[in-house]
Structure formats: structure tokens, C-alpha cells
Amino acid sequence: MRGMMDGLSAVDWAALTHAYGSAADVPGMLRDLAGGDRKALDDLYGTIWHQGTVYEATAYAVPFLVEMLAAPGLEPDGVLGLLADIVDGASYLDVHRGFLPRSQRDTDEVREQMTTELDRVAAAGRAVAAGTPAYLQLLATHPDDGVRVAAAHLIGVLGPAGAGEAGAAALREAVARDGSGAVRAAGVLALGGFEEHVPEALTDPLPLPRLVAALVAGRAAPPVDALTQVIERDAPACLRLVDRLPGGAGNALAWVATALAPHTGTQVRLLTAWLSHADGAVRETAAHAVAVPLHTWRPAAAALVPALVAAAQDPLAAVRLRALRHLAGAGRAAAPAADLLWAAVTRGREPAEPRSPDHRPVAAAALTALARLHDPRADAHLATLLRARPPALAHLADAVAALGPWATRCRAAIVDAIEAVPAGYDRARLIRAAGRLGADPRSLVRVLRRQLAAHPHAAGMLLGDLGPPARAATRDLTALRASEDPTRQRIAARALWRITGEAEDLLTVLRGQLRDHHALETLAELGATAAPLAAEVKPLLDNDYEWLAVHAAAAYWHLTGDATPALPTLLRTIDCVPWGVVTVRTLAAMGPAATDAIPALRAERESPYRRPRWTDEHDVIAEDEGWTAICHHALSRIEGRTTGTWPDVVLPEPARQP
């Protein structure tokens, strides 16, 4: 140990860097860890390995970590885990390159930095591989099962390039002779890193090695029936064993389902079986694990709904709740379960539900699902809630957002409720919903005039959307136009244009705000009337800020009718995120001029995998279905098959202002 400390002093740590700058503090962390301080391990995870990335100092620290494995009193499993994570680490720039401004991603400076960082990643990996004899020794002789499991995992991560044939041989020996089922399972899993399957492990006397052997064997191709039967039988027996493996999770069946990707049909088959298992703990675990295929594979929703309907009537409240949540988030596939969802609405909160202000009750989730299905019961129920004073709308923002012209019972109720809720986002949501419902313009205008001061964005935009029927608000909007705030000026000028048809003042406002994507959105509405501003918009097509570039492309097309300059921007931004919605809407408006977008739109529409990113779990399927619908609509417009209206669907949206 003293020799190791001497070696630490020989490294110029201050000249090296880690995730937070100078690595001068690394020797202290290593000394503390060698002395048995487990907090030092967390500190090293935050510096020489940070959220999956490794740094210049990492390779220099690794030999000391390897030497520590033999230190008396140290628990080596944590150090082995850190070393394995270092081998799997990436460079910071490699992970974050996509977050750089687009114009900087491929510069000489970035490429040079990437090369330097990747060299450091490779050096760290070589440093870990140099410690292979120590890992082999721990796997063969350490008395603690957890240490042997961690050693097997590290050898598997190193693979043939790092641990060589000696590593594979040691793993085979562990699988054949180790007395611990967890170690044998870890060995089977690690041999998968060497592209080796272990058929004899399928007959191991314990379920965990058998389960892992079946998963490894089924990784390359859809598991045959015999392997699927092993997984179906043994996974329930491993509910509390999987977490002994590196990478094991609290939900064993979710871990199994994830390991089976991309064999989604097998995932669905197994989870369906486990949802009706005799053991309630298995059913509860499966009810959570259903999210794995449900939120990744488009056909999974329809395939799983029958099993979820049965699970929603399970004797265990935890199973019922989770099944109902999945049904509420299953999109159109949940239509056959509408009566079950309605029963959840009328039953209200289940006794077993957590009472957290951030936790949406299952009744609210069910009502949102029914509203998205345009079920008239949701319309009637929400109308009743809106008429209460104050309106009983806790947890119902998504249900209100799903209201549209179909919700005739809510039209008058929602206008009356606007001023009965506190000012802020709740009131703004009701204002926007009133616009979508097609409420009576006269009563709506009276309310909106009173709300302009507190909610200029929501009220002003809706007054503009109403157009000439909002003429009574002209004086109020003229006063708002006199504001010194640019946003209020733009909203008021837009509304006055939509009401009066006079565009000159709006053009004056927009000319000074062209680097604001909201202004570009309004410019697109003006269309050819704003054509003189096209030359100022065109340079924004290459802007690094995607929001600005996409709205510039939309505006340029609507101003000029010329698709050629705008298409490159639009083609690179077809993605299921808020700016992608603007892109697809613009491509649909272009029609046949957007022919170059057909392959990308078809790929988005026809992919078997869900596309949304950056969304809450309960909206994944709804947003994916909405995304598919608008891509289909755009394709129909481009291919000249329809000029229909824009679909009324759930889509990724940016945060809205009140």
C-alpha cells in the first residue's frame, strides 16, 4: 500500500483534467478509497467517470484502482464496477456533440478535440485491460459471491480484445464449477461479451443461470419455443435474484423484457403470460414491466390490451392500478376498454394510490384517455366539473387539452369557468380550450377582453384567431399594442390584423422581431402579404437554433411559394419533437413541392417503433399516434391524394405562455 501511495506522488495530477477541471484532487480520493472510505468511490464516479464519460486523468487513476483490489479491508466489488464502467465509457464530446450549434459540429477544432478525447478513452480501456490478472484471481479465489460476480462482469465487458482467451477460460471455469448461482449466471452473461453461448447452463440446477443462458442464447435471433419456455418458467423465480447481477434492476421482469429487445413479439407473449400468473408478486412486477414494449413497439398496445383489461380487474389493487394506467395511456388501442376506463372515472381515487400533488390519479388518467377518444361521457363529466365553483379541475390539464369541437356539452361551461379559476396557467389552458371548442364568440370575447391584461398571450392570440367576430375588442387590443413589451406588441398587432384585415402595422412590428420564432410564425400566417420581408428571412434558414431555422423555412415558403431554399432545413428537422411538428405542417402545406421529403415521412409513419422523445410516460403513445397521423397527412398532401384538414391529435408542443 505504501508503494501505491508513492506512485500517486509521481503523477502530476494538477496538469491533468477530469469532469470538473483540474485533477489535483484525485490523489486524495484514491487515498481515501484505499483507506476504506466508500464515499470516495462516489467522488471518483463524479470526476474520472461522469455520467458515462471518461477524461484525461482516468487512465492515470486506473492502475491505482487495480492495485487497490488487493488492499486489506477494501470491498473490491465497487472498484470492479467502476473499472467496468470506465471500459464502457465514452468521450464527453462524442456524447454531447449533437448539442453543439450545428455550424460547429464538424469544424477542424471539434474533430481535433474528438480525436484527443477518443485517444483518452482508448488509453483508459487499455489501462483497465492491463489489470486482467487481478480480475482473474478475484474470480477464481475471492470468498465473497458479490466480488466474483463483479469480476466476471468486468472480464465480460473487456471481452476478447481486453481479457483475451484467459478471460474466456476463467469465465467457463466459473460457469462450470462455482458454487454460487449468481456467479454462474454472471459468467454466462459475461461470456455473451465473448460471443459465446453456454447451452449446458440451460440445465443448471438453479433458475438464475438458466434464465441468463436462455436470454444470451436468444439475443441474436428470436428465441425458439424451448428458450421462451425457460424464460417464462424461470423469470418469476428470479424476481429477487436479478438484482444480484451487474445491470440488474429492481424490476426483474422489466430487465428480462429489455434483454429480449428487439424481439418484441416474445416480450408481449411473456408479459401476457406473467400478467395472469398465480403469484401476485409476479403479476404486479409484470404490470410494471409492460411499459417496456408498450412504449417502444407500436403493435404492442393492441396486443397487450386484452391482458391489461383482465389485469385491471385483478384482486390486487397494485395490479389494477398499473393496468388501468397502461390502458389510459394506450391511445386508440384502448377503445375496447372505454367502459372500464369510465368505471375508473366514476369510482375516483383508489385507496392504494399515493396522495402526491405530482401524481395524477388513475381516474384523471382515465378521463384524459376518454377525452382523447372523443367519448361523450368525458364531455358530460368535464362539463359538470367545469360548472362547480371553483371548478374541480385538479390533475385534469391533459383532459381539458383534449377537448375540441366534439365536446359540445363543455362549450358554454368552459367559457363560464375561465374567470372562476385562479389566474395563471390553469386559466390560460381554459382560454385555449375555449378556442378549440368553438365556443360562442360573443360571450367568449367579453371574457377575453377582461383577461388581456393578465393573460395577454392566451387571450390576445385567441382574439386574433376569432377574427372579425372579435371586433368589440379593438380598443383593448390597441391599448395592448402600445405596450413596451415586444411580445404584447406582436400579439396585439396580429389580433388587430386578423380582425380588421389591415397588415401594415403588423409588418412594422414583425420587421423588428425576425429573430424571434414566434414572429416568424406570425409572418407565415401573413403569407404573400409579407413577401417584402422574404430577403431578410432567408439567411435564417441556416441558423444554428433549430426553432428559428424551422420557423424561418415555414415563413419563407408561405411568403414566396418557393420550396427550394426551405427544403434542406425541413428535411433535416423531421423528428418527433415540437419543431418537427412545424416541419411536417409546412411540408404538408407545400404539397407536391415537398416530394423530397417522402422517404423520411414514410419511414416515420411506417416504423414499428415509437418515435416521441422528451415526453412524459403517459403521453408517449398519444404523441406517437399523433405524429404518425400528421406524417400520413403530409404524405397524402404531397402525393396529391387529399387536401383534408389538419388532424386533431396529440402532438409534442413547447411550453405555452399564460
Side-chain angles (χ1 to χ4, degrees):
M1 186 62 64
R2 182 177 297 277
M4 182 183 72
M5 294 301 113
D6 293 342
L8 274 174
S9 301
V11 177
D12 186 2
W13 296 99
L16 304 175
T17 57
H18 57 46
Y20 291 99
S22 170
D25 53 353
V26 169
M29 298 177 197
L30 292 170
R31 288 191 183 95
D32 290 344
L33 182 59
D37 183 357
R38 295 287 289 191
K39 179 182 178 298
L41 185 65
D42 294 335
D43 294 336
L44 289 165
Y45 260 113
T47 52
I48 64 169
W49 183 98
H50 181 73
Q51 297 180 354
T53 55
V54 298
Y55 299 86
E56 182 184 22
T58 309
Y60 291 86
V62 165
F64 302 104
L65 292 169
V66 173
E67 195 169 349
M68 275 183 220
L69 293 173
L74 181 73
E75 298 177 13
D77 53 338
V79 176
L80 289 166
L82 175 57
L83 291 169
D85 286 334
I86 287 171
V87 175
D88 269 341
S91 92
Y92 179 88
L93 194 56
D94 199 21
V95 171
H96 297 88
R97 191 177 192 178
F99 294 99
L100 290 175
R102 188 171 50 84
S103 62
Q104 297 178 22
R105 293 172 196 167
D106 294 311
T107 62
D108 291 341
E109 181 181 358
V110 166
R111 284 195 291 269
E112 182 179 346
Q113 180 65 21
M114 178 74 79
T115 299
T116 299
E117 290 190 6
L118 291 176
D119 286 344
R120 293 170 179 169
V121 171
R126 289 193 299 271
V128 177
T132 296
Y135 321 143
L136 300 180
Q137 180 69 20
L138 290 170
L139 177 60
T141 65
H142 201 281
D144 185 89
D145 293 356
V147 173
R148 300 200 305 283
V149 165
H153 173 63
L154 175 52
I155 293 167
V157 171
L158 285 168
E165 175 55 30
L171 292 171
R172 294 187 204 109
E173 179 71 12
V175 171
R177 305 191 185 284
D178 199 289
S180 165
V183 177
R184 296 197 301 276
V188 172
L189 198 58
L191 281 169
F194 288 76
E195 301 298 327
E196 287 192 27
H197 301 161
V198 189
E200 56 270 28
L202 291 168
T203 57
D204 191 281
L206 294 179
L208 186 59
R210 295 196 301 261
L211 172 63
V212 172
L215 292 174
V216 172
R219 191 177 280 165
V224 297
D225 281 347
L227 292 178
T228 304
Q229 289 168 10
V230 171
I231 298 168
E232 182 178 344
R233 178 196 68 208
D234 287 335
C238 297
L239 292 189
R240 295 171 181 83
L241 300 176
V242 166
D243 60 4
R244 298 181 64 189
L245 299 176
N251 187 307
L253 301 186
W255 180 82
V256 170
T258 302
L260 286 169
H263 309 310
T264 45
T266 304
Q267 290 175 329
V268 168
R269 169 184 163 179
L270 290 169
L271 288 164
T272 299
W274 292 328
L275 281 170
S276 60
H277 199 277
D279 187 337
V282 174
R283 299 197 305 276
E284 183 177 351
T285 307
H288 285 268
V290 159
V292 174
L294 196 63
H295 294 158
T296 56
W297 190 48
R298 284 175 174 167
L304 284 165
V305 159
L308 290 170
V309 167
Q313 300 166 78
D314 194 274
L316 293 179
V319 177
R320 293 196 304 272
L321 284 170
R322 183 51 53 181
L324 283 167
R325 288 193 185 284
H326 287 314
L327 287 170
R332 291 189 298 269
D339 289 345
L340 195 61
L341 292 169
W342 176 243
V345 172
T346 56
R347 185 167 57 243
R349 186 188 284 273
E350 288 255 11
E353 287 190 79
R355 293 186 175 273
S356 164
D358 299 324
H359 188 91
R360 187 171 63 161
V362 70
L367 184 59
T368 297
L370 291 170
R372 288 172 174 173
L373 291 169
H374 296 184
D375 191 302
R377 291 172 293 190
D379 180 21
H381 189 72
L382 279 166
T384 300
L385 297 176
L386 287 163
R387 291 191 184 99
R389 289 297 175 268
L393 295 175
H395 302 289
L396 293 179
D398 290 333
V400 169
L403 295 174
W406 63 274
T408 55
R409 300 281 293 276
C410 284
R411 282 181 182 166
I414 204 164
V415 176
D416 293 339
I418 288 172
E419 294 178 304
V421 300
Y425 285 100
D426 287 341
R427 189 177 292 179
R429 289 189 187 101
L430 293 183
I431 290 171
R432 285 190 284 268
R436 291 192 303 272
L437 267 65
D440 175 47
R442 289 170 299 179
S443 58
L444 186 54
V445 168
R446 286 194 296 270
V447 172
L448 296 178
R449 289 177 65 187
R450 294 193 293 268
Q451 293 304 312
L452 263 180
H455 298 86
H457 194 279
M461 292 297 290
L462 182 49
L463 284 168
D465 293 343
L466 290 171
R471 188 173 296 275
T474 301
R475 180 178 298 177
D476 308 274
L477 290 165
T478 301
L480 186 67
R481 170 66 182 85
S483 168
E484 295 183 0
D485 179 74
T487 300
R488 296 185 179 211
Q489 292 173 7
R490 183 184 67 250
I491 290 169
R494 172 191 177 270
L496 289 167
W497 160 64
R498 293 290 301 263
I499 291 168
T500 67
E502 298 174 5
E504 185 175 350
D505 181 59
L506 178 57
L507 283 170
T508 300
V509 171
L510 295 178
R511 184 175 282 109
Q513 299 185 20
L514 290 182
R515 299 190 72 83
D516 184 315
H517 69 269
H518 294 292
L520 291 170
E521 187 175 20
T522 303
L523 203 62
E525 287 187 75
L526 275 165
T529 302
L533 295 180
E536 296 180 53
V537 172
K538 191 173 183 180
L540 300 175
L541 297 175
D542 291 323
N543 195 275
D544 282 335
Y545 182 35
E546 298 289 23
W547 261 116
L548 197 64
V550 167
H551 279 286
Y556 189 85
W557 153 254
H558 284 286
L559 267 58
T560 67
D562 182 4
T564 302
L567 267 176
T569 298
L570 299 173
L571 292 176
R572 74 167 188 264
T573 53
I574 299 174
D575 194 7
C576 190
V577 292
W579 63 68
V581 175
V582 179
T583 291
V584 174
R585 187 186 290 273
T586 306
L587 292 169
M590 287 179 171
T595 298
D596 289 350
I598 288 176
L601 290 170
R602 281 181 178 165
E604 294 292 316
R605 181 188 67 182
E606 296 167 10
S607 170
Y609 298 105
R610 304 253 179 230
R611 312 306 267 181
R613 299 187 287 127
W614 312 340
T615 190
D616 290 337
E617 177 181 314
H618 61 269
D619 281 334
V620 168
I621 295 175
E623 287 191 6
D624 180 70
E625 289 180 346
W627 177 249
T628 303
I630 65 170
C631 287
H632 177 77
H633 176 75
L635 282 166
S636 297
R637 295 285 297 268
I638 293 168
E639 294 170 347
R641 291 183 281 111
T642 183
T643 56
T645 58
W646 184 252
D648 177 19
V649 290
V650 178
L651 291 168
E653 289 187 345
R656 295 294 191 91
Q657 298 179 35

